[in-house]
Amino acid sequence: MKFVMTITRSLTILGFGILVGCTSNIRDTPPGEDRSVALEEARNDARAMARDTLQDLYAKQPAAKQAVENSAGYAVFSNFGLKILVAGSGMGEGLAVNNKTRKEVFMKMAEVQAGLGFGVKKFRQ
């Protein structure tokens, strides 16, 4: 029994180490690069992801286009998650748009999971 607890504890620590590595910020600005350029690139990536996601939605549900256009606003997110044994995490980013003012709000999100499992997921919503 002690051996099983040691293995479980070791795998849990290893899993958390892997998760921390997977959730590091890949958009860190390299030395000497203007942060505003990197920020605008990240915003353009979010806009492209939102545009592609909405096009996919409209292709599958044509009525959704009118619903989105007539709404107060909408938000689109992409997410990537990883779960190893008893712990998991995920992170993503998104864009919310106020249809009246056309103001964009860029967001980041994070999630933490508990419970037994193993897997990888990637989705846009």
Side-chain angles (χ1 to χ4, degrees), residues 1-12:
M1 182 69 175
K2 196 172 197 176
F3 176 73
V4 172
M5 292 299 290
T6 303
I7 293 294
T8 303
R9 188 174 298 133
S10 297
L11 289 174
T12 301

Side-chain angles (χ1 to χ4, degrees), residues 38-81:
L39 183 61
E40 193 56 35
E41 286 177 7
R43 288 179 175 176
N44 286 335
D45 290 347
R47 289 179 185 113
M49 178 275 304
R51 182 183 59 247
D52 294 345
T53 302
L54 288 172
Q55 286 176 351
D56 291 347
L57 172 65
Y58 299 156
K60 293 176 184 171
Q61 295 288 330
K65 184 171 185 170
Q66 185 176 13
V68 169
E69 289 173 352
N70 293 334
S71 67
Y74 63 91
V76 182
F77 289 90
S78 68
N79 186 331
F80 175 80

Side-chain angles (χ1 to χ4, degrees), residues 12 15-16 18-20 22-23 80-91 110-119 121:
T12 301
F16 277 117
I18 291 170
L19 292 173
V20 168
C22 290
T23 59
F80 175 80
L82 176 68
K83 183 153 190 173
I84 300 174
L85 299 177
V86 296
S89 73
M91 62 185 314
E111 67 177 303
V112 178
Q113 303 173 6
L116 191 59
F118 183 80
K121 67 179 177 180

Side-chain angles (χ1 to χ4, degrees), residues 21-40:
C22 290
T23 59
S24 64
N25 188 355
I26 61 172
R27 292 197 187 270
D28 285 338
T29 307
E33 186 177 320
D34 185 5
R35 176 142 171 75
S36 63
V37 172
L39 183 61
E40 193 56 35

